[in-house]
Amino acid sequence: MLFRSWLTFSFVIAVVQMVLAGLSVLQHDAIFSDLLRQRVSVIAQTTATAFKPLVDLGMPLSMMRNGDAVVARALDTDPEIEFVHAFDASGAIVHSTMADRPQSVPPVVLKAMRLATAQGWSAETSQRLYSGFDIKSRSGEIGGGVVVGYPRDRLEEVSQAIVRETAWTALAIWAVFSALAWPVLRLLLGAPQRALGRLEKTLLEPEGRREPVPGGGGAELSVGARGLFGPEIERLGRNLDEAGQQYARAREDLDGAAAGRVRDGAAGSEGGSLVEGAEVAVRGAADPSRSLARRVATRLAPVAALFILLSALLLGLASLRDVNQSIEPELAARTHLIGSVVSDNVQRALAAGVPLDRLVGAESFFGDMLTRLPEVAYIAVATGRIVLEAGERIDPYLAPARERKDVRSHPIMQDGEEIAYVVIDIDPAIISKRFVDVFLDMSVVVLVSVLIAFEIMVLLTSRSLTAGLDRLQRLAAMQAAGDFSRRAGIAASGSVDRMTRLLADRAVALNGQFARLWSRTRSSAGGRAALEQVAQRHALSSSGAVPLRTTYFTDLRLALFLFAAADHLPLVFLPLYTRAAEASWLPFEQAVLLSLPLAGYLLAIVLVSPLARPLAEWLGRRPLLVLATIPALVAHIGLFYATSVPEIVGWRVLTGLGYALVTLACQDYVLDTVTGRERAQAMGLFTTVLFAGIFSGTALGGVLADRLGQENVFLLSAALVAAAAVLVARLVGPADSGIERPRARMHLPPILPTLRSRRFCVLLFGIAIPNNIVLQAFISYLVTLILDSLGASTADIGRSVMLYFLAVIVVGPVAGRLASRWMSMTSLALLGATLGGSALLMAALVPHEVTVLLAIMGAGVGDAMGRVSLVPMAMNVAENELQHLGPNAVLGTLRTLERVGSIAGLLAVAMVAGQFGYAAGMATVAALSLGGAALFGAHLGAGRKTSAVIDPAR
Amino acid sequence: MRGLAQWLIAALLVAAPAERTFAGESLKILGVLYRGCEQVCQGFAARIEESGLDAEFVKRDIAQDISRLPAIIEEARAMEADLVLTWGTSVTLGVVGTLDDDEGSGLLSTIPVVFTIVADPFGTRIAEGFAGSGRANVTGTFNRVPEAVYVETIRQYDPEFEKLGLLYNRNEVNSVLKFKELQKLAPMLGIELVALELASGDDGAPDLADIPRLLKKLREQDVSWVYLGSSSLLRQNGEFFTRAAVEHSIAVLSPYEDLVREQNALLSVAVRSRDLGRLAAEQALKVLRDGKKPGDLPIARATDFAYVVNMEVARQLGRFPPFAFLQIAETVKK
């Protein structure tokens, strides 16, 4: 037990280190590549600016005679640059630094330019990085662009250094934590292991020489059992002892029956029945909360969590330090480059013969530059006094040094003499924001790695330790109660398994003996009657003992987590992936087109949901779970190959179908594995795991798309779905609880009857639908497009969208407590809707990266409040005026209608966004949310007078 | 039917030179020039020579006297020229006429003609459009940017610019055309055009001595920029004109780059003259070497335009180019 637990710990720490190390490197590469591209974009930008006057005149770029000389200037600023091309709007290269000028820019560049909403854009291939800038005329017309090709060598070099650094750190942390785990586990599990060993010894001893079993038969408790799990081991000991006695009794009874004697059934089995080979699964132990397995799991979980968290935090901190060290020179290089560009520009003007104090329009030129380089706060040219300047000065203590060893950082030379120098003040707030961003990025990967590792830990602990204990306990408890109907086929590799096997062997032996006697007494009716009595007493069967089936949600957790993560990996870049696909022949506006994959996905969920339960009954829950992963798997592979919007929509519909079936089948499976009073807890656990998966998928999807390419993320999703399917197929047993449930038929939700209820409608249109529209139209659709238009990378978008799910996860339980103590559910819902709507409105009025982030968080907090309060309020309506329909039907209808509402809302918002821009789309979502809140509030106000409110507290 | 016959004749004629080359006889190119073999003509000659084509370039300068053209047309026919290069609008109109002229007009309608330095070949109906001249034996080059570009260029240089001055003479078709064009464009471009006509001397020709007076008059009307283009006369007297302009604190913008590089115009947006000559030679090579029919060739557009600023003039005028402008402009310090 101890060794296996240690192996599990060691393995999981290795997993967390590997996952985190991998993600850290990816994250670092994403950040570094972004910075590198941004630096190169300074060159693209300044070169493009040179061509602007030409485009302003409406002249083609090709008409500029010294165009080649203009693009070649870039090579002076950074000799590592591979090439610079100036190209016209069709992509034909008109000026280039390359001797054999290619005809046109590579498709990847044109695609990046076409898809970019900002003037600057970038792309990355396996060979090089591209940074480009549109050449736009005053009227906004794109006359062409400038693209700079930069080799990946620098990125590769820095990345390899980070890989080495991270790998060694991870290895060291793993070694230390793995070594630490041994004494900790020994402290935790040593005593119970010894006690179990003693139990085994006692159990395997011949009866005559048997020591008193700990806790068994009134004997003294052993010292070991007084430890951490004393009472549970004591109970197990008693059960084992009792099982032994029952076994002796059963043998006696069988011997007696063979000899024609029948004992009175006073001490017989309780409820044991003759089972003819049917496979009946056994649900949780008689009292799961007191079982040893549960206690061990409860003890191990926090220790495991601590180990995972600490080891992840250590590597996270080390990676953070490495990443910061790695990006610092890059940030400095960008500042230096800007300084060089300014100094070159001024030198060029001076070389043309303009005196320094007669530079016309330089301040507005640098002013324009400042608007495009947010980190530069101030540019000036000084000779001792400031000759020209643009922007606001930064506190000299915070500004970077202008001199290094008495040499100006950016001197302006004329005829070999320094006549002036450039002053560049970098805004320290922007730079520290960059480091804060890095910190947040690293926090996300730490969090996701911890979540993944924890899920693996739970599964492994269950499989290697607690499931075995649980099996032993169950068999012991059954046999102690005289029930020998179950056996367990396991390899005996530890004391727990050996004891289990002994018990199983006993059951097999008894059933075998019974079968032999049964066939021998075929002709004797009296003999058979006596045997039947014995069989009933000890639950024996002529067809032998049946396998003990155990079903645990833990078997399913990792699969559910992986599936949810796989489903949500593409969430943040799906609109961008769709935008890049072929759709020229479709009669839709682009904004609407981009919403179609999401709408199709939701529609599939709406349509498939009523089918899930009948299908599960027809196929069985486990087969349905495995089968439902197939459409998801196929859909993700299809999305990988998809090149047109209809294909993407089609595959997304299939994904929605798979998602609906898998999550609903999982939910039912969970409900089947637990008894009534544990259900709420199990459902809570189910939701937590589902959300953890969604959160991880959303958070990682962005950075993975950034590093691996968007289409490859679909392959990763497919691989995760396949892994989930394998886990289900191999680990999950058929869940048949034996709990009688009414046979499910496909019912259409009672839409009309529910809509007749005014309170239901208020709930639906006031809270449920607006909340869902916020999720689908804002979080899953608009946020990506808005942040993309503000120049954010997919990694940034992923991190931002993740905040929504984080807010839901964190605020949900707090809001629940808030509602139970200080405020009513209705007030909570109203507050949530108002909060979310207001945050959105603010972002719509002032569209900026920060306001959008606040809107995402506001939406998350608002949604969490809405989620917590919605079900109790709906239940309240269901139990009162819609009592005749039943709570399940009312809740089901609410879910269906809110999804239908969100599809309609999504399409409407997409149309508004297409016509009037993303800010208007956001304003529409805000209006719907605030409108819903107003409707709900008005009803509340009216209800106070008539006491017809929805609050379940009333 | 007539069209077909024309094409057949043209095709035969176009095919003929190739045969002659094989026979070892040099091809004959006749250059009809307006004012001697300047840079365009030199660029043309250089490119033909570089190409290795066995051709003789015969130059005929009309010295601005278009009455000499009929004789040159006759000469072209007599010498069985394989191609004729025409320099300028007046010469081209005199040699090939317009799309509306019929065959009986005595103009060249069979010998391939390449025109160059024609400010507006489409407005003058020498050619139909960029896709082709619409005439079997004619092709050419186009070397101008729209007039609006010149106005915008001045605006980029001088955001305060409001009034554009122009001197024109009635004796030149082009000059009058340009005046009318700018007159129409000015309100659309948001500027005021102050156009003054050069007075004629006793011989009926424009009086150059009138230039300083007119420039002074422009200055009095707050004109700080004057346009010098589409006038062979003024171009020919560029040195005098541009010096006078500087003396009156007026900046000259011109589509003729040599006026900036060699004289005293402040700013030009133009193709290098030699490059334009080379472009015309490329058109000629397509006909003579590659056997293409002139009517099938698109009108070749000059690329490689540049802003050229005379920094010495800028200094004298106290009007240095703006910073952004300096990042792309070519500067000369004459």
Side-chain angles (χ1 to χ4, degrees):
Chain A
M1 182 161 80
L2 181 59
F3 183 66
R4 260 202 260 175
S5 300
W6 177 77
L7 270 186
T8 306
F9 261 61
S10 202
F11 176 71
V12 172
I13 294 166
V15 168
V16 75
Q17 294 296 308
M18 274 197 293
V19 171
L20 181 54
L23 291 178
S24 296
V25 170
L26 284 183
Q27 190 71 61
H28 163 267
D29 288 359
I31 295 167
F32 196 87
S33 158
D34 190 39
L35 280 178
L36 202 56
R37 281 182 277 176
Q38 276 183 27
R39 170 153 71 88
V40 180
S41 87
V42 174
I43 298 165
Q45 200 173 310
T46 45
T47 312
T49 309
F51 286 101
K52 190 176 178 298
L54 206 67
V55 177
D56 278 341
L57 296 178
M59 277 164 58
L61 295 180
S62 56
M63 294 182 96
M64 187 160 168
R65 186 191 309 159
N66 54 346
D68 283 353
V70 170
V71 293
R73 282 177 202 158
L75 298 182
D76 300 334
T77 46
D78 188 344
E80 278 188 66
I81 290 172
E82 242 181 296
F83 57 78
V84 185
H85 299 317
F87 55 94
D88 66 18
S90 72
I93 296 174
V94 289
H95 304 291
S96 173
T97 55
M98 286 171 89
D100 47 345
R101 177 196 303 176
Q103 285 282 310
S104 56
V105 291
V108 64
V109 168
L110 266 190
K111 189 174 166 188
M113 185 184 180
R114 182 167 63 85
L115 295 179
T117 37
Q119 210 173 343
W121 37 266
S122 60
E124 193 177 338
T125 63
S126 52
Q127 282 98 40
R128 64 182 64 86
L129 305 167
Y130 295 97
S131 245
F133 207 81
D134 294 343
I135 308 173
K136 263 189 189 171
S137 70
R138 267 195 299 265
S139 58
E141 206 176 320
I142 295 179
V146 169
V147 65
V148 181
Y150 206 83
R152 279 176 62 101
D153 303 358
R154 170 124 182 79
L155 174 62
E156 302 286 349
E157 188 187 313
V158 176
S159 175
Q160 275 165 17
I162 282 282
V163 168
R164 278 194 300 276
E165 194 84 21
T166 313
W168 281 114
T169 316
L171 199 66
I173 293 175
W174 170 77
V176 170
F177 274 76
S178 188
L180 266 179
W182 180 257
V184 172
L185 286 172
R186 209 178 138 83
L187 204 68
L188 205 65
L189 299 175
Q193 170 150 320
R194 281 192 298 277
L196 284 169
R198 262 194 296 279
L199 278 181
E200 185 195 2
K201 203 174 154 201
T202 315
L203 199 63
L204 300 179
E205 287 262 316
E207 277 178 33
R209 284 190 285 150
R210 190 179 287 179
E211 277 180 26
V213 172
E220 279 181 38
L221 278 176
S222 76
V223 181
R226 281 206 194 99
L228 205 49
F229 306 108
E232 288 77 20
I233 290 181
E234 192 183 321
R235 195 172 312 113
L236 178 63
R238 270 203 300 271
N239 279 347
L240 285 174
D241 192 38
E242 184 60 31
Q245 290 174 27
Q246 285 287 356
Y247 174 63
R249 224 169 282 153
R251 276 177 56 180
E252 212 175 285
D253 284 353
L254 281 174
D255 291 347
R261 287 180 277 116
V262 179
R263 197 168 61 84
D264 286 341
S269 66
E270 294 158 18
S273 60
L274 188 72
V275 184
E276 290 290 343
E279 281 201 1
V280 177
V282 176
R283 275 181 298 112
D287 188 353
S289 62
R290 291 170 62 198
S291 84
L292 179 57
R294 176 69 66 89
R295 291 273 293 137
V296 170
T298 320
R299 281 281 168 178
L300 277 184
V303 179
L306 194 70
F307 267 73
I308 292 171
L309 199 64
L310 276 182
S311 67
L313 273 181
L314 267 185
L315 183 60
L317 283 174
S319 298
L320 181 66
R321 184 204 59 201
D322 293 345
V323 173
N324 281 345
Q325 278 176 359
S326 158
I327 66 167
E328 259 171 54
E330 192 47 46
L331 283 170
R334 182 169 149 99
T335 310
H336 179 73
L337 178 65
I338 295 167
S340 306
V341 166
V342 171
S343 126
D344 285 352
N345 286 345
V346 175
Q347 258 169 225
R348 194 167 300 120
L350 297 182
V354 185
L356 190 58
D357 54 357
R358 299 290 298 274
L359 288 175
V360 185
E363 291 186 338
S364 71
F365 183 83
F366 293 131
D368 281 351
M369 210 163 159
L370 286 182
T371 59
R372 291 189 300 265
L373 302 168
E375 78 270 35
V376 184
Y378 178 77
I379 297 178
V381 172
T383 52
R385 65 181 180 87
I386 299 289
V387 180
L388 54 96
E389 60 184 344
E392 294 286 324
R393 290 216 69 159
I394 294 290
D395 188 323
Y397 292 106
L398 298 172
R402 278 166 212 131
E403 294 176 16
R404 196 169 292 146
K405 290 180 187 155
D406 295 333
V407 176
R408 303 276 185 206
S409 305
H410 307 290
I412 294 170
M413 312 293 287
Q414 196 176 25
D415 303 327
E417 269 183 44
E418 181 189 311
I419 58 155
Y421 59 92
V422 177
V423 178
I424 297 273
D425 280 1
I426 297 296
D427 186 350
I430 303 269
I431 296 297
S432 57
K433 183 182 170 291
R434 191 74 230 190
F435 285 106
V436 170
D437 282 350
V438 172
F439 174 75
L440 291 176
D441 286 336
M442 296 314 292
S443 309
V444 169
V445 294
V446 167
L447 196 56
V448 172
S449 311
V450 166
L451 284 175
I452 294 171
F454 190 75
E455 290 303 327
I456 295 176
M457 183 71 162
V458 167
L459 177 71
L460 288 182
T461 314
S462 160
R463 301 301 293 184
S464 70
L465 183 66
T466 50
L469 263 180
D470 186 59
R471 215 163 26 220
L472 172 64
Q473 275 185 303
R474 283 170 195 234
L475 267 186
M478 287 172 81
Q479 294 193 2
D483 181 347
F484 288 92
S485 62
R486 299 292 188 277
R487 64 182 161 81
I490 41 162
S493 56
S495 56
V496 172
D497 288 346
R498 281 194 294 271
M499 282 191 275
T500 311
R501 201 163 80 172
L502 179 85
L503 295 186
D505 287 350
R506 282 177 180 173
V508 170
L510 284 180
N511 280 286
Q513 192 182 353
F514 170 74
R516 282 192 300 279
L517 287 174
W518 185 257
S519 62
R520 218 185 290 157
T521 55
R522 197 172 295 157
S523 53
S524 149
R528 283 231 154 172
L531 268 178
E532 262 178 28
Q533 224 178 337
V534 175
Q536 267 188 2
R537 197 176 299 144
H538 301 291
L540 301 176
S541 158
S542 58
S543 54
V546 293
L548 173 74
R549 289 227 170 265
T550 48
T551 51
Y552 308 99
F553 174 52
T554 44
D555 294 341
L556 193 58
R557 274 181 76 142
L558 183 60
L560 176 65
F561 176 87
L562 291 181
F563 187 84
D567 192 78
H568 282 74
L569 275 180
L571 180 83
V572 294
F573 64 82
L574 192 66
L576 304 179
Y577 191 69
T578 314
R579 195 170 64 185
E582 169 59 37
S584 51
W585 50 275
L586 287 174
F588 293 107
E589 211 178 329
Q590 195 195 46
V592 178
L593 213 61
L594 302 190
S595 71
L596 291 182
L598 187 58
Y601 173 84
L602 292 172
L603 190 68
I605 294 180
V606 170
L607 296 179
V608 169
S609 293
L611 287 172
R613 195 154 283 165
L615 266 177
E617 289 200 355
W618 180 47
L619 295 167
R621 305 226 187 284
R622 194 176 70 134
L624 176 63
L625 265 174
V626 179
L627 285 176
T629 54
I630 295 174
L633 183 72
V634 172
H636 281 118
I637 295 173
L639 281 164
F640 170 77
Y641 286 108
T643 51
S644 72
V645 175
E647 282 175 71
I648 295 177
V649 174
W651 292 123
R652 280 303 284 177
V653 168
L654 203 60
T655 319
L657 181 136
Y659 182 76
L661 287 181
V662 168
T663 48
L664 289 170
C666 258
Q667 192 174 326
D668 280 357
Y669 186 90
V670 173
L671 291 177
D672 283 350
T673 54
V674 289
T675 47
R677 75 192 164 108
E678 282 197 310
R679 260 190 198 180
Q681 201 188 342
M683 278 315 294
L685 206 57
F686 168 80
T687 314
T688 307
V689 174
L690 186 69
F691 254 85
I694 290 175
F695 168 83
S696 305
T698 311
L700 283 190
V703 68
L704 290 174
D706 199 282
R707 297 319 306 154
L708 309 177
Q710 294 178 355
E711 65 280 3
N712 291 324
V713 176
F714 290 113
L715 281 191
L716 185 67
S717 280
L720 289 181
V721 170
V726 170
L727 283 174
V728 170
R730 287 191 63 88
L731 303 180
V732 176
D736 188 353
S737 57
I739 302 169
E740 282 300 315
R741 286 162 64 134
R743 189 163 176 74
R745 280 202 206 110
M746 203 193 112
H747 284 297
L748 287 178
I751 292 171
L752 281 179
T754 45
L755 287 180
R756 280 197 203 105
S757 157
R758 216 179 81 191
R759 292 165 69 202
F760 181 85
C761 287
V762 167
L763 207 54
L764 179 70
F765 294 109
I767 303 292
I769 290 183
N771 262 6
N772 252 279
I773 292 178
V774 168
L775 172 60
Q776 305 304 349
F778 178 61
I779 299 294
S780 308
Y781 170 73
L782 278 178
V783 167
T784 302
L785 296 172
I786 293 168
L787 289 180
D788 178 66
S789 73
L790 293 172
S793 66
T794 48
D796 292 339
I797 300 171
R799 199 187 63 211
S800 310
V801 172
M802 174 214 77
L803 287 177
Y804 169 85
F805 294 104
L806 193 66
V808 171
I809 294 171
V810 173
V811 176
V814 180
R817 248 172 258 147
L818 203 70
S820 59
R821 284 192 196 165
W822 288 298
M823 55 168 42
S824 63
M825 288 291 178
T826 45
S827 312
L828 187 69
L830 189 60
L831 183 68
T834 315
L835 191 75
S838 311
L840 274 159
L841 192 63
M842 186 181 67
L845 295 176
V846 191
H848 184 267
E849 220 170 310
V850 177
T851 52
V852 174
L853 270 187
L854 286 176
I856 293 171
M857 282 195 278
V861 172
D863 189 34
M865 292 178 166
R867 268 169 202 274
V868 166
S869 48
L870 190 64
V871 173
M873 288 192 295
M875 288 301 280
N876 181 261
V877 176
E879 281 161 11
N880 292 298
E881 42 182 300
L882 295 175
Q883 203 177 6
H884 56 288
L885 297 172
N888 283 345
V890 174
L891 276 182
T893 312
L894 185 72
R895 292 274 175 250
T896 304
L897 288 179
E898 69 181 11
R899 282 201 188 106
V900 172
S902 72
I903 297 173
L906 169 67
L907 292 175
V909 169
M911 273 185 240
V912 173
Q915 282 290 320
F916 308 105
Y918 298 141
M922 207 153 40
T924 311
V925 181
L928 286 171
S929 189
L930 291 174
L935 172 77
F936 190 74
H939 175 80
L940 267 187
R944 288 250 152 75
K945 288 175 199 151
T946 59
S947 77
V949 289
I950 310 168
D951 201 327
R954 289 185 180 237
Chain B
M1 206 50 209
R2 199 177 128 194
L4 183 69
Q6 267 184 352
W7 276 107
L8 278 172
I9 294 165
L12 280 171
L13 280 164
V14 166
E19 284 164 27
R20 262 211 295 205
T21 314
F22 285 121
E25 201 178 321
S26 287
L27 296 169
K28 286 196 186 93
I29 301 172
L30 181 70
V32 189
L33 311 168
Y34 187 72
R35 51 178 181 90
C37 189
E38 40 61 81
Q39 290 198 357
V40 177
C41 162
Q42 289 163 15
F44 180 88
R47 177 71 192 100
I48 294 290
E49 198 179 332
E50 273 167 30
S51 73
L53 186 78
D54 184 12
E56 185 192 350
F57 183 32
V58 182
K59 298 165 201 135
R60 291 288 175 265
D61 181 10
I62 65 163
Q64 300 170 49
D65 182 3
I66 52 172
S67 64
R68 297 187 190 174
L69 285 173
I72 294 175
I73 292 172
E74 279 316 308
E75 188 188 351
R77 286 191 181 121
M79 71 190 281
E80 293 183 17
D82 297 296
L83 186 131
V84 173
L85 171 78
T86 59
W87 191 104
T89 309
S90 303
V91 170
T92 308
L93 280 172
V95 174
V96 291
T98 66
L99 284 156
D100 311 314
D101 289 319
D102 54 29
E103 260 182 82
S105 57
L107 302 166
L108 291 185
S109 58
T110 50
I111 298 176
V113 174
V114 173
F115 63 78
T116 186
I117 309 281
V118 173
D120 185 2
F122 316 120
T124 48
R125 297 204 34 83
I126 290 170
E128 222 166 51
F130 281 113
S133 67
R135 307 165 75 174
N137 68 321
V138 178
T139 188
T141 63
F142 184 82
N143 63 304
R144 300 290 281 270
V145 290
E147 299 308 319
V149 169
Y150 296 119
V151 171
E152 283 303 321
T153 305
I154 300 176
R155 205 170 262 151
Q156 277 181 2
Y157 194 109
D158 174 8
E160 311 277 296
F161 159 70
E162 279 171 357
K163 285 183 183 177
L164 180 66
L166 176 78
L167 301 190
Y168 68 100
N169 59 315
R170 291 226 173 257
N171 285 21
E172 269 188 88
V173 186
N174 253 351
S175 190
V176 178
L177 274 175
K178 190 55 61 186
F179 160 57
K180 286 183 177 162
E181 189 186 343
L182 281 173
Q183 204 174 29
K184 215 161 111 185
L185 264 175
M188 285 188 260
L189 297 170
I191 53 159
E192 188 187 328
L193 179 73
V194 184
L196 302 176
E197 189 185 344
L198 279 168
S200 301
D202 299 337
D203 56 351
D207 183 6
L208 291 173
D210 198 28
I211 290 176
R213 184 185 67 84
L214 294 179
L215 286 171
K216 186 164 178 268
K217 212 169 161 188
L218 286 177
R219 190 62 244 182
E220 282 164 5
Q221 292 186 49
D222 286 334
V223 172
S224 52
W225 287 86
V226 69
Y227 176 84
L228 196 169
S230 299
S231 167
S232 298
L233 176 82
L234 291 180
R235 183 175 186 181
Q236 201 184 356
N237 296 287
E239 179 66 38
F240 176 67
F241 182 99
T242 54
R243 190 180 295 280
V246 173
E247 279 164 10
H248 289 91
S249 293
I250 295 178
V252 178
L253 170 94
S254 173
Y256 309 130
E257 193 174 309
D258 45 340
L259 292 192
V260 176
R261 288 195 180 273
E262 290 154 22
Q263 295 162 11
N264 294 296
L266 176 64
L267 174 65
S268 75
V269 184
V271 190
R272 269 195 210 102
S273 301
R274 285 185 80 87
D275 289 348
L276 188 64
R278 298 176 77 84
L279 187 70
E282 290 299 336
Q283 291 288 80
L285 285 171
K286 280 178 192 156
V287 174
L288 299 176
R289 183 188 58 197
D290 307 338
K292 297 268 166 59
K293 296 169 191 165
D296 291 348
L297 291 174
I299 304 302
R301 295 176 83 145
T303 55
D304 292 353
F305 282 72
Y307 298 117
V308 184
V309 182
N310 186 322
M311 293 302 286
E312 182 50 33
V313 173
R315 197 188 58 73
Q316 285 174 25
L317 291 171
R319 283 194 242 165
F320 286 109
F323 196 76
F325 211 86
L326 281 167
Q327 305 307 316
I328 49 162
E330 289 182 20
T331 52
V332 287
K333 290 181 184 170
K334 180 194 166 280

